Amino acid sequence: MLLHPVSSTTAIRGRLAPTPSGYLHLGNAVNFVLTWLLVRRAGGTLHLRIDDLDRTRLRPAYLANIFQTLEWLGLDYDTGPRNPADFEQHYSQLHYLADYQQILKKLRQQPGLLYACTCSRTDILAVAPDGRYPGTCRHRHIPLDTPGAAWRIRLPDDLVVTFTDGWQGTMVINLGRDMGDFVVRKKDGYPAYQIGSVADDLRLGTTLIVRGADLLPSTAAQLWLAQQLPETAGFTAARIQFLHHPLLPGPDGQKLSKSQQQPLERGVQAQAQGPQVVFRAVALLLGLPTEASLSLEQLRQGCVESHW
């Protein structure tokens, strides 16, 4: 593990950024606890930012589960919604659609940067004949105003993004190979995740982002995307510290995913006997002794004593 300590010379502002698209699983809870430990150790502030641009998958039960899981884990935060009603009224990403659309408008003005795509998911997952990553559309010449079309970024050939990660060390991401021409506006006209995430972290003044290692390509995509406009150019690895932690596999050995949940699954809170299962997973990731997983306070103390 190459975990670099979070600097205490700058104001640390971290965030928890769940999506209400399923019940929170063990991996989500571990990410929450890791973020909380890092921010609290640095004496920083923690914001709850819920990403709800994917309106087709949002369910009231999923939104409520976010607050229930935070209470179950015993995690406090400094700013952000206190309950589902507060979130909908004051913090939903729907309140910031005009900001996201302004970014999309500016991107559209960059010659050749965007193209329209009407492909289905099946089409996109098919290997393109030119050998590019399967996330790349084969048809790049239809007008951007085509009804029902998503907007994709036209990535330069062999684009490589390099940044330093606090857990993984120096990362060299071949964005064309690892992600392909990613979506910035969905077929329903809503801004995509990469746009909302960059805009929100800039608005919130985020200086620490803790993510799973599967999101390394997304981080690279956001860093590159942000540099295409002066309005978003402040989203850099020089100003924001990134830590991408290892993923926790499910019982089948595969990555935990809300999209793969079975109908009767209700997330880690309903499945576990107590939050100690989460604390134990965090202690294991950090190389802490087993007794550190008995409670959140002991986990926090274990981090202090180990100089983590």
Side-chain angles (χ1 to χ4, degrees), residues 66-107:
I66 292 171
F67 297 94
Q68 294 161 359
T69 302
L70 286 169
E71 183 177 4
W72 177 68
L73 291 169
L75 302 180
D76 64 329
Y77 53 96
D78 303 295
T79 58
R82 296 296 152 179
N83 53 59
D86 186 28
F87 168 73
E88 295 283 11
Q89 187 172 359
H90 300 111
Y91 294 94
S92 168
Q93 288 181 305
L94 297 184
H95 297 300
Y96 302 100
L97 283 177
D99 297 337
Y100 310 143
Q101 295 292 356
Q102 184 64 20
I103 293 174
L104 287 170
K105 179 181 177 181
K106 294 285 187 179
L107 289 173

Side-chain angles (χ1 to χ4, degrees), residues 185-199:
R185 196 191 77 163
K186 297 180 293 181
K187 290 182 178 181
D188 59 9
Y190 276 86
Y193 165 73
Q194 311 295 5
I195 294 290
S197 187
V198 168

Side-chain angles (χ1 to χ4, degrees), residues 25-28 214 246-262 265:
H25 53 63
L26 177 61
N28 300 131
D214 59 328
L247 300 181
L248 296 173
D252 58 358
Q254 300 300 308
K255 183 186 84 168
L256 292 169
S257 171
K258 284 182 284 187
S259 64
Q260 301 300 318
Q261 286 177 348
Q262 299 302 309
E265 288 185 39

Side-chain angles (χ1 to χ4, degrees), residues 117-129 133-139 152 187:
C117 172
T118 56
C119 295
S120 68
R121 180 172 177 81
T122 300
D123 294 333
I124 290 298
L125 291 177
V127 176
Y133 179 77
T136 299
C137 180
R138 305 182 190 194
H139 311 290
R152 289 183 178 271
K187 290 182 178 181

Side-chain angles (χ1 to χ4, degrees), residues 168-238:
Q168 308 288 341
T170 300
M171 300 306 304
V172 180
I173 308 294
N174 185 317
L175 207 52
R177 180 195 65 204
D178 296 338
M179 175 168 275
D181 294 347
F182 56 90
V183 173
V184 292
R185 196 191 77 163
K186 297 180 293 181
K187 290 182 178 181
D188 59 9
Y190 276 86
Y193 165 73
Q194 311 295 5
I195 294 290
S197 187
V198 168
D200 288 354
D201 280 326
L202 286 171
R203 175 172 49 81
L204 295 169
T206 301
T207 62
L208 173 67
I209 295 177
V210 183
R211 288 171 166 161
D214 59 328
L215 290 179
L216 279 164
S218 280
T219 295
Q222 291 174 13
L223 288 169
W224 182 84
L225 176 65
Q227 299 314 302
Q228 307 312 304
L229 298 175
E231 293 86 350
T232 54
F235 188 93
T236 68

